[in-house]
Amino acid sequence: MKTIIEPFRIKMVEPIRMTTVEERRGFLEEAEHNLFLIAAENVIIDLLTDSGTAAMSDAQWAGIMRGDESYAGARSFYRFQEKVQEITGFTQVIPTHQGRAAERILFGLLGGPGRVIPSNTHFDTTRANIESQGSEAADLVIAAGLDPGSLYPFKGNMDVGRLEELIRRVGPGQIPVCMLTVTNNSGGGQPVSMDNIRRTREVLNRHGIPLFLDACRFAENAYFIKRRESGYGERSCKDIAREMFSCADGCTMSAKKDALVNIGGFLAMNDEELARRARNVLIVTEGFPTYGGLAGRDLEAIAQGLEEVLHEDYLAYRIRTAEYVGEKLEAAGVPFVKPPGGHAIYLDARAFAPHIPPREFPGQAIACALYVEGGVRSCEIGSVMFGRTDPQTGTHLAPPLELVRLAFPRRVYTQSHFDYVIEVILKVHAGRSSLRGMRITYEPPALRHFTARYGYR
Ligand SMILES: Cc1ncc(COP(=O)(O)O)c(C=O)c1O
């Protein structure tokens, strides 16, 4: 059959509260135009993030009941450890409460003033954890990764030429680790090819620099490799994932994505000495090494989720969802990052609202309009999240892309929900000339998008 269906039946439902345009205008004003500050019950379709928003399976809920809550050596930890080892091949497995806790531990041990940590593109929490140690976070994605219209199949790839150049310029001794984000969330959820992972590895090998994957969406990346890279079509996604991890020395993982759970993460590696030091930090900041920041029941759910996420019918449905939305937007002439990534559609805000300059946050203006129009919550990934003000000149330094991300929670929404979202986007696009630029009225010192306040120009 041509139609790819949701490969699950719905056993429990969560009602959606309908609201009017007028009501939503009021909620947005109360939240001072920050969508993170809107109560979730006032959102109709919540595409703010795919992180921690998955629907768990019956087997995962059963695991929740089986969770062993012993402080030390819980049965659930061993099940979790075994599954992570099976999929990643890494021997040392350290549970954390979510991905950023793994990042905090890793960069706390490896970072420091004068150090540089390259990646294809660091996610915001990764960048913040690197910079808070006084290190520099360098984004080295290939040029196609910064061109929203390019149809290159692996736009998340690392520019290995620029990586070599960076190593030559700062010296390998200043680069304690290199990251590869799979898939590349900040760059449009674009995949990294196996060939590129290998070539990155080869460059690093020549200089004795370890490679860690930011593996939040490893299964989606594996599926793209299967579909798009020659020689992988007949291989299982589990096998491909194993090969991806085999090229790395370790990984940070937010289990809130491709482990299909609502909370959790881990740090995994082969270096026993580094793992020993990481566990010492873990005990101070997260908890005992056999639970990290998690309950035994969470570890059970992660172990089960890591198994389910690699099922090929699940991945086919998952990737098809973004493709489907992309096809409808393409047909209507709405600009977005092409080809669609794995977990989200990213509207190209510069092309969508070209009359709003980056310093007036076109992405934020579009995100607010999507909320008012249809109660759809999305997330700006552009000048709000990554823009800076030059301290000398006071001018706005814009990031390469101005995007609005509509991230898809896993196994939560059906095709008719997505048809509704498409209708809302098309309506906002049709009225785009009336969108107004915005200004920030309050911002905190770091990660400003979470708590900033805005007004219209
Ligand atoms: C690529 C990437 N890395 C790291 C993180 C951080 O994970 P967490 O939210 O679990 O701390 C995220 C979260 O969205 C992410 O997308």
Side-chain angles (χ1 to χ4, degrees):
M1 299 300 293
K2 284 209 297 293
T3 307
I4 296 175
I5 60 168
E6 288 87 356
F8 47 81
R9 293 183 297 190
I10 296 167
K11 188 178 277 189
M12 190 194 284
V13 297
E14 195 180 352
I16 293 174
R17 196 172 88 83
M18 295 299 174
T19 50
T20 64
V21 169
E22 269 324 301
E23 283 174 321
R24 292 193 291 270
R25 220 170 253 137
F27 297 140
L28 192 61
E29 252 160 53
E30 269 168 43
E32 295 182 61
H33 299 91
N34 186 332
L35 293 162
F36 283 97
L37 304 182
I38 289 193
E41 70 162 1
N42 296 327
V43 174
I44 294 180
I45 305 283
D46 205 345
L47 307 184
L48 184 67
T49 176
D50 64 321
S51 180
T53 51
M56 293 207 296
S57 68
D58 50 356
Q60 283 178 296
W61 282 108
I64 292 276
M65 295 308 294
R66 274 199 310 269
D68 175 355
E69 304 304 342
S70 305
Y71 189 95
R75 187 182 60 240
S76 302
F77 169 74
Y78 293 110
R79 179 162 183 234
F80 159 82
Q81 178 177 249
E82 201 179 300
K83 184 53 72 183
V84 175
Q85 287 171 338
E86 178 193 324
I87 288 171
T88 67
F90 300 131
T91 55
Q92 309 297 312
V93 181
I94 298 169
T96 59
H97 78 276
Q98 59 184 86
R100 71 197 69 185
E103 292 164 2
R104 161 78 187 78
I105 293 170
L106 183 67
F107 301 125
L109 294 172
L110 298 181
R115 303 242 156 127
V116 182
I117 298 173
S119 177
N120 46 354
T121 313
H122 292 286
F123 190 62
D124 60 351
T125 58
T126 323
R127 172 172 285 278
N129 272 303
I130 291 169
E131 290 176 350
S132 71
Q133 299 297 327
S135 311
E136 185 191 328
D139 291 340
L140 303 175
V141 74
I142 55 167
L146 300 176
D147 173 2
S150 161
L151 290 174
Y152 188 69
F154 291 102
K155 289 167 73 173
N157 280 358
M158 173 79 89
D159 186 331
V160 284
R162 284 171 69 208
L163 177 63
E164 292 243 41
E165 194 186 296
L166 177 85
I167 298 170
R168 250 197 321 274
R169 184 162 51 80
V170 305
Q174 291 303 93
I175 304 179
V177 64
C178 173
M179 304 294 293
L180 257 184
T181 312
V182 294
T183 59
N184 191 24
N185 186 7
S186 308
Q190 299 292 324
V192 180
S193 71
M194 193 73 83
D195 176 61
N196 187 254
I197 299 175
R198 285 198 180 289
R199 289 199 296 123
T200 302
R201 170 87 256 182
E202 279 161 24
V203 170
L204 298 172
N205 274 354
R206 284 203 289 280
H207 302 281
I209 299 168
L211 173 65
F212 270 56
L213 299 184
D214 177 340
C216 304
R217 300 177 181 85
F218 75 96
E220 291 171 9
N221 201 86
Y223 187 75
F224 279 119
I225 289 175
K226 183 181 172 90
R227 288 265 304 266
R228 297 182 182 171
E229 195 161 349
S230 86
Y232 289 93
E234 299 305 314
R235 301 262 302 274
S236 74
C237 287
K238 192 167 188 172
D239 198 25
I240 296 170
R242 265 304 283 261
E243 189 176 329
M244 286 163 48
F245 285 112
S246 76
C247 299
D249 300 284
C251 73
T252 56
M253 172 79 186
S254 169
K256 300 170 73 172
K257 285 83 172 175
D258 271 356
L260 299 172
V261 292
N262 306 119
I263 194 71
F266 56 86
L267 176 61
M269 63 189 83
N270 286 326
D271 183 335
E272 284 179 33
E273 171 55 18
L274 185 62
R276 192 184 55 76
R277 290 165 58 213
R279 287 193 184 99
N280 288 339
V281 180
L282 187 85
I283 289 176
V284 178
T285 59
E286 292 277 297
F288 190 72
T290 60
Y291 70 85
L294 296 168
R297 63 181 84 98
D298 298 323
L299 297 169
E300 286 281 344
I302 293 172
Q304 179 63 29
L306 286 172
E307 181 64 35
E308 291 175 12
V309 79
L310 287 162
H311 290 177
E312 314 242 338
D313 52 359
Y314 161 75
L315 284 167
Y317 134 81
R318 173 78 180 151
I319 302 303
R320 178 64 196 144
T321 305
E323 264 173 16
Y324 174 80
V325 177
E327 282 164 13
K328 302 278 179 186
L329 297 184
E330 174 80 10
V334 178
F336 66 97
V337 176
K338 287 170 210 147
H343 67 291
I345 283 283
Y346 293 69
L347 301 178
D348 176 0
R350 275 182 205 254
F352 195 114
H355 60 290
I356 304 178
R359 67 174 186 282
E360 294 182 13
F361 312 117
Q364 187 65 18
I366 296 167
C368 288
L370 294 172
Y371 175 71
V372 170
E373 194 59 52
V376 174
R377 177 153 66 172
S378 56
C379 179
E380 193 267 8
I381 299 194
S383 275
V384 171
M385 199 182 267
F386 292 118
R388 299 273 183 277
T389 304
D390 185 325
Q392 251 98 57
T393 62
T395 50
H396 177 71
L397 304 172
L401 298 171
E402 298 288 340
L403 305 174
V404 177
R405 186 185 72 176
L406 296 117
F408 304 161
R410 294 167 177 79
R411 306 191 291 207
V412 171
Y413 294 116
T414 64
Q415 187 167 341
S416 75
H417 290 121
F418 285 106
D419 285 331
Y420 173 86
V421 170
I422 291 160
E423 192 179 334
V424 172
I425 297 172
L426 264 48
K427 188 129 188 243
V428 171
H429 187 244
R432 61 194 178 280
S433 60
S434 62
L435 292 171
R436 286 161 59 203
M438 306 191 80
R439 65 195 163 83
I440 291 182
T441 54
Y442 160 77
E443 66 177 293
L447 297 175
R448 67 179 174 182
H449 52 288
F450 288 125
T451 52
R453 309 287 201 275
Y454 311 83
Y456 284 103
R457 286 263 167 190

